[in-house]
């Protein structure tokens, strides 16, 4: 069978063997959880309770103020200690609700098993997804109910579940597929019903043959769901590249997957939707990979939202090296943290702890026009050209002539560059310049 | 960890492929070793003296230019050494050492550093050195010797050029001249008169394949360049057997070293995929045109320099569409 793929990209050592064969563990519930009121793309939530109030597990603690938003629930039962600004993995300081965990896990009254989930209609399903605070768990954290509310005349042909996980080290989605295959497929069924799409596709990279087998087994009895095997190549998991690989459709520049009749969801999101529909369980925990070369026992955890990075790193046996860097997310696109005292949010797929070798990094040299960046760019841009134009501050050309805004910042160009030019950093600056220029 | 010991942050990606310019340059030097070794075997220790002089002059010129320009000294990145080696391999084996020294210096100073150093040069530096020497010291630069004995003799392409002239003048080509052409098998091993490192087809192909295997060069450039010359020679075969003439055109002269080692130079070849195809075919056309129609027996060096000149233009007009840019008419 021919494997689906996209044009461009590169191969990267995966390091997935550190964690991919070990069953995920339930992380020990922490004494305190720090739940940020902004864990999604869109308007932040407003705190719904006061300091000193008792909360139950799964209770709404942050309510939405706009349509593009998602409510936030307590991941433990206990007492609100404070509402304060805390460091957020996205890099800013964000209002957090700090809850002291009573370790009772007393469930909120709304969390009851749905007697006949298959009877629910479109609107009821959409409401459950909204109420459960479901956002894209692949890392983008776009509110899922917004994705499922396209303009009235939009026809959705495919729902693609993204089980690619092309970033090195991360195996969270891999473990979800191995441990919750039925939930994923039932979740996909609900998504198909909610969106009216005819076909569901589960896309998995060929370095996860066990997950492919398992998902195939479950999908066998679903005529409208298919598993598609993709070639292992970075950034295969990028939404637009995945859509091209699987359906041969190209999302137009500046457009959305909806424009080509496709919605992409992470496999973890499908599992969360299944829990939301069948158990009325909101999104209060997620699978997190704790890995890297400087952590004692790399593992996957099902961790409560609001658990501190340091807590999970300690549960993994702690640091094995001095002087580390901590990355939230992947090696290629994740963000480095300035502290390990940041909470896990809905978008935290991985915590990587690596030896800090940045001092040894080679110096940026002149571009030798080798074109490796151009050949590897999955958006068909000319990264070296974009970097040069950014240095010259030619923002108009960057925008209209070079289409710089099409850059998905996957980092492939910086990765392959033999001159060690931080291309993606220049491009980010260039994009910033273009945005500022337009506002003028 | 407390707030006092904040970790350092940096921008993604947090990993690098390990690709480096110097590693690539080193690999090109490795790929040239078979041809280098054979040149010493065929043309003796004097060949070694040329190579050493050339590399030394390039390193010295690089060092002096960078000192003068007050930029970082990068003579250990193998780039100047590669220019030196390439320059040595594309000049006649009897070139006096003082001229080699001048040529190496010209290659680096005029071929590369005046443009702003590595990455900014418009032309292949070694070819600039050669072209200026051919124009300024033509007697030295056109005197070729046969291997082992060092007797002055014509290169195979020189003989073909002579025959072409006679043929174009309506004369029946001299059969003695035809008979003096070395057989194809000798062209393969390289025991013929020619520039130091261009004579052995096998050594050059071996090196070229190594570079393709290591993914340092785009295989399309040598393939299209060589096949364009081959095809044109098949069509415009003159007084020769078609297949023989086409094959002879590939293995004689500087085509192989040019196609594998100089046309593929990162800095001076186009960066777009489409551009590289146009560039390679253009090289083939020019090379054959010069060999066949011009007064010169060989055209590889000038073709590459000419195509280097239009590389920025090719890049500009072959920019592809961006992913998701709507295809016209459907």
């Amino acid at each position: 069978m021919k494997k689906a793929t996209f044009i461009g990209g590169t191969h990267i050592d995966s390091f997935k063997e550190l964690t991919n064969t070990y069953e995920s563990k339930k992380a020990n519930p922490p004494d305190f959880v720090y739940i940020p009121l902004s864990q999604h793309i869109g308007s932040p939530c407003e705190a719904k309770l006061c300091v000193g109030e008792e909360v139950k597990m799964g209770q709404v603690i942050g309510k939405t103020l706009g349509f593009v938003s998602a409510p936030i629930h307590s991941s433990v039962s206990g007492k609100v200690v404070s509402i304060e600004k805390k460091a957020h993995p996205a890099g800013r300081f964000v209002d957090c609700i700090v809850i002291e965990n009573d370790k009772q896990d007393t469930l909120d009254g709304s969390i009851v098993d749905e007697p006949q989930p298959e009877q629910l209609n479109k609107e009821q399903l959409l409401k459950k997804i909204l109420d459960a605070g479901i956002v894209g768990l692949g890392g983008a954290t776009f509110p899922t109910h917004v994705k499922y509310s396209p303009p009235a005349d939009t026809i959705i042909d495919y729902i693609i579940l993204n089980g690619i996980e092309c970033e090195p080290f991360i195996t969270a989605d891999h473990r979800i597929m191995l441990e919750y295959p039925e939930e994923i497929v039932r979740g996909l069924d609900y998504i198909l019903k909610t969106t009216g799409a005819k076909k569901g596709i589960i896309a998995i990279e060929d370095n996860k043959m066990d997950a492919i087998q398992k998902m195939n087994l479950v999908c066998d009895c679903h005529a409208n769901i298919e598993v598609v095997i993709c070639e292992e190549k970075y950034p295969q998991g990028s939404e637009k590249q995945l859509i091209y690989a699987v359906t041969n459709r190209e999302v137009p520049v500046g457009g959305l997957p909806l424009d080509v009749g496709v919605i992409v969801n992470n496999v973890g999101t499908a599992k969360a939707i299944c829990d939301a529909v069948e158990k009325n369980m909101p999104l209060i925990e997620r699978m997190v990979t704790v890995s890297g070369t400087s952590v004692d026992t790399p593992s996957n955890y099902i961790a409560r939202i609001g658990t501190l990075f340091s807590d999970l790193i300690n549960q993994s046996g702690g640091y094995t090296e001095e002087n580390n860097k901590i990355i939230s997310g992947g090696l290629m696109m994740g963000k480095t943290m300035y502290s390990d005292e940041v909470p896990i949010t809905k978008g935290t797929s991985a915590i990587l702890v690596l030896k800090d070798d940045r001092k040894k990094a080679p110096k940026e040299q002149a571009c030798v026009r080798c074109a490796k960046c151009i050949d590897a760019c999955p958006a068909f841009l000319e990264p070296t050209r974009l970097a040069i134009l950014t240095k010259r501050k030619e923002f108009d050309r960057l925008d209209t002539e070079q289409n710089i805004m099409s850059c998905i910042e996957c980092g492939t160009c910086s990765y392959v560059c033999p001159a060690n030019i931080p291309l993606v950093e220049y491009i980010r600056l260039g994009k910033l310049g273009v945005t500022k220029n337009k506002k003028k | 960890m407390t707030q006092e010991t904040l970790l350092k942050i940096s921008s993604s990606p947090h990993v690098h492929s390990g690709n480096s310019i110097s590693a690539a340059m080193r690999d090109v030097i490795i790929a040239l070793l078979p041809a280098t070794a054979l040149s010493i075997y065929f043309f003796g220790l004097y060949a070694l003296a040329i190579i050493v002089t050339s590399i030394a002059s390039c390193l010295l010129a690089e060092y002096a230019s960078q000192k003068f320009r007050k930029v970082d000294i990068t003579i250990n990145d193998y780039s100047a050494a590669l220019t030196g080696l390439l320059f040595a391999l594309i000049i006649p084996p009897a070139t006096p050492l003082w001229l080699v020294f001048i040529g190496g210096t010209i290659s680096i100073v005029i071929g590369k550093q005046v443009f702003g150093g590595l990455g900014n040069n418009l032309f292949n530096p070694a070819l600039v050195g050669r072209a200026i020497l051919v124009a300024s010291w033509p007697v030295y630069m056109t005197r070729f010797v046969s291997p082992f004995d060092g007797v002055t003799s014509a290169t195979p392409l020189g003989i073909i050029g002579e025959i072409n002239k006679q043929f174009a003048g309506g004369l029946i080509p001299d059969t003695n001249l035809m008979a003096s052409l070395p057989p194809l098998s000798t062209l393969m091993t390289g025991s013929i008169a020619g520039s130091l490192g261009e004579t052995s087809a096998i050594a050059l192909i071996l090196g070229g394949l190594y570079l393709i295997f290591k993914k340092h060069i785009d295989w399309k450039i040598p393939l299209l360049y060589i096949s364009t010359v081959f095809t044109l020679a098949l069509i415009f075969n003159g007084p020769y057997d078609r297949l023989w003439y086409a094959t002879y055109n590939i293995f004689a002269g500087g085509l192989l070293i040019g196609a594998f080692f100089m046309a593929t130079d990162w800095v001076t070849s186009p960066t777009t995929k489409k551009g590289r195809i146009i560039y390679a075919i253009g090289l083939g056309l020019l090379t054959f045109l010069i060999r066949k129609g011009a007064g010169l027996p060989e055209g590889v060096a000038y073709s590459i320099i000419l195509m280097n000149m239009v590389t920025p233009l090719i890049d500009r007009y072959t920019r592809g569409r961006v992913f998701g840019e709507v295809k016209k008419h459907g």
Side-chain angles (χ1 to χ4, degrees), chain B residues 42-300:
Chain B
F42 289 137
F43 300 107
L45 280 179
Y46 189 69
L48 184 64
I50 290 182
I51 293 166
V52 172
T53 308
S54 174
I55 293 177
S57 66
C58 284
L59 291 176
L60 196 66
E62 179 105 328
Y63 179 83
S65 311
Q66 289 176 334
K67 263 273 184 247
F68 178 75
R69 290 178 52 218
K70 298 190 175 65
V71 293
D72 289 349
I73 307 293
T74 58
I75 53 166
N76 50 5
D77 72 355
Y78 297 100
S79 128
L82 173 60
T83 302
L85 179 59
L86 262 177
F87 176 71
L89 295 182
I90 56 172
I91 56 176
T95 314
L97 291 183
W98 60 267
L99 192 53
V100 176
F101 189 87
I102 292 177
T105 310
I106 290 174
S107 296
I108 292 295
V109 177
I110 299 180
K112 183 167 130 185
Q113 289 294 341
V114 289
F115 292 99
L118 183 66
N120 299 310
N121 48 301
L122 192 54
F123 304 105
N124 189 308
L127 286 176
V128 170
R130 185 181 189 275
I132 290 179
L133 255 52
V134 171
S136 312
W137 286 273
V139 178
Y140 289 120
M141 293 301 288
T142 50
R143 194 176 85 84
F144 291 93
V145 297
S146 34
F148 307 118
D149 55 13
V151 175
T152 306
S153 67
T155 62
L157 282 182
I159 301 170
I160 287 194
E162 248 344 279
I163 299 172
N164 282 351
K165 268 181 212 158
Q166 295 178 354
F167 185 71
L171 299 167
I172 296 161
D174 184 351
T175 42
N176 284 338
L177 214 51
M178 290 281 259
S180 68
L181 280 169
L184 270 173
S185 57
T186 321
L187 260 54
M188 295 303 289
T189 54
S191 179
I192 48 166
S195 293
L196 268 191
E198 70 173 26
T199 61
S200 168
I202 289 180
L204 293 169
I205 293 170
L206 208 67
L209 291 179
Y210 174 73
L211 291 184
I212 292 169
F213 169 76
K214 294 283 260 178
K215 295 193 175 139
H216 290 315
I217 63 173
D218 184 348
W219 56 269
K220 288 197 280 302
I221 293 179
L223 183 78
L224 285 172
Y225 185 3
I226 294 167
S227 11
T228 306
V229 172
F230 184 84
T231 315
L232 289 170
L234 266 185
I235 301 168
F236 305 102
N237 60 328
Y240 318 94
D241 172 66
R242 276 183 203 281
L243 198 59
W244 177 88
Y245 183 58
T247 320
Y248 213 78
N249 255 291
I250 295 177
F251 295 129
L255 181 58
L256 289 176
I257 194 168
F260 284 116
F261 294 96
M262 285 180 288
T264 54
D265 174 32
W266 284 347
V267 179
T268 55
S269 58
T271 52
T272 62
K273 286 175 194 137
K274 235 189 278 169
R276 283 178 224 151
I277 293 170
I278 295 171
Y279 170 82
I281 294 173
L283 284 170
L285 288 171
L286 283 174
T287 299
F288 190 75
L289 197 69
I290 296 173
R291 281 184 179 182
K292 186 80 183 174
L296 300 168
E298 173 60 305
V300 170

Side-chain angles (χ1 to χ4, degrees), chain A residues 250 252-253 331 334 336 338 358 363 367 369-372 379 382 401 403 414-417 424-425 428, chain B residues 7-12 14 16-17 19-21 72 119 215 266-267 269 276 311 315 319 321 323-325:
Chain A
E250 259 183 56
V253 170
L331 209 49
T336 46
Y338 42 78
R358 282 169 290 194
K363 222 177 128 185
C367 170
R369 298 171 35 87
C370 69
K372 283 186 192 295
E382 296 180 28
E401 178 191 301
N403 258 318
S414 300
Y415 177 82
V416 298
C417 180
V424 83
E425 276 185 70
R428 282 192 196 110
Chain B
L7 300 168
K8 287 201 186 72
I9 59 167
S10 62
S11 167
S12 66
H14 311 289
H16 189 262
S17 57
N19 289 344
S20 78
I21 296 172
D72 289 349
K215 295 193 175 139
W266 284 347
V267 179
S269 58
R276 283 178 224 151
T311 289
D315 273 342
R319 234 168 46 79
R321 66 181 186 94
F323 182 86
E325 230 167 11

